[in-house]
Amino acid sequence: NLDLSSNLLRELPNDLPKTIQNLDLSFNLGIDIEAIWNLNLPELKVLKLACCGIKNLPDTLPKWGNEIKEFNLSGNKIRNIP
């Protein structure tokens, strides 16, 4: 598990362990959603992105999309879901 919530992150560290199963990035306003979509985290099961100021989601399926079990986008003002 890795909790990076409320850290004022806009970008993610390049050296995230590929074995992460639970990643909390909540309350990081302006975090780069494209970078999150491209994360190479094959074991990711839970991703929390609550209250990150996200308005749009990318059009493609994220790399980790087939394995995710919980995806929290609460508190964002998402206009469309592709």
Side-chain angles (χ1 to χ4, degrees):
N1 296 345
L2 182 58
D3 185 348
L4 295 174
S5 62
S6 302
N7 277 291
L8 303 175
L9 295 176
R10 291 194 176 269
E11 297 179 5
L12 295 172
N14 291 330
D15 56 350
L16 290 175
K18 291 184 179 185
T19 57
I20 293 174
Q21 292 185 358
N22 187 331
L23 179 58
D24 190 349
L25 296 169
S26 299
F27 299 97
N28 285 296
L29 288 174
I31 196 157
D32 183 359
I33 190 69
E34 293 284 342
I36 294 168
W37 239 238
N38 290 317
L39 287 174
N40 186 14
L41 299 175
E43 297 182 30
L44 188 64
K45 303 287 186 238
V46 176
L47 179 59
K48 297 177 183 176
L49 291 169
C51 302
C52 287
I54 298 169
K55 295 179 183 172
N56 297 300
L57 297 176
D59 291 331
T60 60
L61 186 66
K63 287 185 175 184
W64 39 262
N66 291 331
E67 300 301 321
I68 201 79
K69 302 294 182 213
E70 179 184 335
F71 187 31
N72 184 343
L73 289 166
S74 63
N76 290 290
K77 295 182 179 181
I78 297 174
R79 296 181 181 134
N80 68 343
I81 297 177

